[in-house]
Amino acid sequence: MGQDEARAGGDPLDGDPRLPQHFGDAWPTVLRFRDLLQAHGEERGLLGPQESTRLWERHLLNSAALVPFVGQPASIIDLGSGAGLPGVVVAAMCPKASVTLLEPMDRRVTWLNEVVADLGLANAHVVRGRAEDVIGQLFADVVVTRAVGPLKKLYGWAAPLLGDRGRLVALKGARAADEVLEGQKQARKAGLTTVEVHHAPTIEGVAPTTVVVARRAEDGD
């Protein structure tokens, strides 16, 4: 889609030459994922009205912003994967990691399975369930999450899925610092002793994404 079409009602970042550079080797996969979201996201209840015209800024670049904080893990769980954000983008950008898309809702699980198959994401697989359903069955070096719940709840959901050197990497909004303060007790109880708020840039003109990283004491990266 060209810039004229974008101005006529499409995503203003469609056709921006900086996008392929930003996503690197993952670009073809991310672009195809964007096409799937644009074509089916709203009709299948995965995106709100008009969100298909802001997919790059609000969803795809937003998801990619947490990748630098993931490190080089062997395994990642996307907790409450929903439409596949951020998990599908993370899987595309971290091809050496095994990525589990954990989602409790059947219709979203169906969507995620279709997306993984369509994109040929060999390093991603879908599991239906909530965090509490898979304790003792699933473990990961990193849990990522977006728009699932406040930090004080996320700590308790994510910590049992993390290894000894694990970390939670959560996409958050403007209240991130307040949530960190409100959840200090829950973080300590979950064994996540270091919690940091980062403002992660993507491309010029797009507001930085707020990323919260909560680590166990043993995580020294």
Side-chain angles (χ1 to χ4, degrees):
M1 181 185 296
Q3 294 298 323
D4 290 342
E5 188 177 349
R7 284 192 292 269
D11 192 315
L13 288 176
D14 280 337
D16 192 312
R18 297 173 299 172
L19 291 173
Q21 298 172 13
H22 187 78
F23 287 100
D25 291 343
W27 170 245
T29 303
V30 174
L31 179 60
R32 174 59 182 165
F33 182 40
R34 174 263 184 197
D35 291 344
L36 293 173
L37 286 170
Q38 186 181 56
H40 307 293
E42 186 173 342
E43 71 182 44
R44 296 182 66 164
L46 301 163
L47 300 173
Q50 307 304 317
E51 286 189 20
S52 63
T53 62
R54 293 293 186 273
L55 283 172
W56 291 116
E57 179 173 357
R58 295 185 183 179
H59 299 291
L60 299 167
L61 286 168
N62 181 265
S63 295
L66 62 68
V67 170
F69 302 96
V70 166
Q72 297 180 329
S75 55
I76 301 169
I77 295 173
D78 179 19
L79 177 60
S81 191
L85 301 160
V88 169
V89 175
V90 170
M93 297 182 73
C94 301
K96 294 183 179 180
S98 173
V99 180
T100 299
L101 307 176
L102 182 62
E103 169 57 44
M105 293 185 63
D106 186 60
R107 63 182 176 85
R108 293 178 180 173
V109 167
T110 298
W111 160 261
L112 291 170
N113 278 313
E114 292 173 5
V115 167
V116 168
D118 186 291
L119 301 182
L121 279 176
N123 65 324
H125 65 284
V126 183
V127 173
R128 183 182 180 186
R130 294 178 172 82
E132 55 266 35
D133 300 328
V134 298
I135 292 174
Q137 303 172 41
L138 292 182
F139 297 94
D141 302 312
V142 177
V143 169
V144 298
T145 189
R146 175 181 187 262
V148 172
L151 286 171
K152 61 184 179 182
K153 292 186 177 180
L154 283 176
Y155 296 140
W157 294 335
L161 308 180
L162 291 170
D164 291 339
R165 294 175 58 84
R167 71 183 75 175
L168 167 67
V169 182
L171 290 168
K172 280 291 170 182
R175 291 196 70 255
D178 292 333
E179 285 192 36
V180 170
L181 290 174
E182 293 165 1
Q184 287 179 324
K185 179 179 178 180
Q186 290 85 353
R188 288 193 298 269
K189 184 177 180 180
L192 299 168
T193 55
T194 302
V195 181
E196 302 166 338
V197 179
H198 301 270
H199 299 289
T202 52
I203 63 175
E204 187 176 353
V206 173
T209 297
T210 303
V211 180
V212 175
V213 181
R215 314 169 188 248
R216 295 196 188 281
E218 294 87 350
D219 183 358
D221 290 347

